[in-house]
Amino acid sequence: MTQDVMNQKNHPKSVNRQSGERLRTLLHECSISPMAFSEFLNVSPQCLNNWFMRGIPKRRIAEIAGLLSVNDVWLATGAVPALIVANQKQKCSTR
């Protein structure tokens, strides 16, 4: 069992916060500004910042994972491989 899965069972709120850290990292890797992403999602920049700090709401995980071509389980928990597509360039080309 991976450390992230163990953490999820013991501390679900901290794992949820980690989804926000993964989102921030993905946006940075894809050269997508938080402002542009918040506008695309039609949420306020403050709302997106809250997601970075507190974690992505469960109801938005699948949508965001699909937009960034990553596995929704990975985005939520970090427990499985991140990429759906074959390589990093394809993942980031969805800008």
Side-chain angles (χ1 to χ4, degrees), residues 1-2 19 24 28 34-35 39 59 68 73 77 87 92:
M1 186 176 302
T2 67
S19 69
R24 185 190 312 259
H28 178 75
M35 178 67 84
E39 289 174 1
R59 69 182 188 280
L68 296 172
V73 174
T77 68
N87 66 45
C92 294

Side-chain angles (χ1 to χ4, degrees), residues 32-41:
I32 301 171
S33 74
M35 178 67 84
F37 197 65
S38 68
E39 289 174 1
F40 183 78
L41 292 174

Side-chain angles (χ1 to χ4, degrees), residues 6-8 39 42-43 52 58 68 73 78 81-82:
M6 289 171 49
N7 285 342
Q8 181 181 18
E39 289 174 1
N42 200 29
V43 299
F52 291 154
K58 289 180 184 178
L68 296 172
V73 174

Side-chain angles (χ1 to χ4, degrees), residues 12-75:
K13 288 187 178 186
S14 67
V15 170
N16 191 38
R17 282 192 204 112
Q18 292 173 1
S19 69
E21 294 169 16
R22 282 187 286 278
L23 175 59
R24 185 190 312 259
T25 300
L26 281 170
L27 293 180
H28 178 75
E29 288 177 1
C30 294
S31 300
I32 301 171
S33 74
M35 178 67 84
F37 197 65
S38 68
E39 289 174 1
F40 183 78
L41 292 174
N42 200 29
V43 299
S44 70
Q46 182 60 46
C47 179
L48 185 61
N49 189 60
N50 288 343
W51 294 357
F52 291 154
M53 303 304 291
R54 300 178 190 151
I56 303 166
K58 289 180 184 178
R59 69 182 188 280
R60 303 294 299 258
I61 291 280
E63 171 193 8
I64 292 168
L67 290 170
L68 296 172
S69 299
V70 297
N71 185 298
D72 58 338
V73 174
W74 173 82
L75 186 57

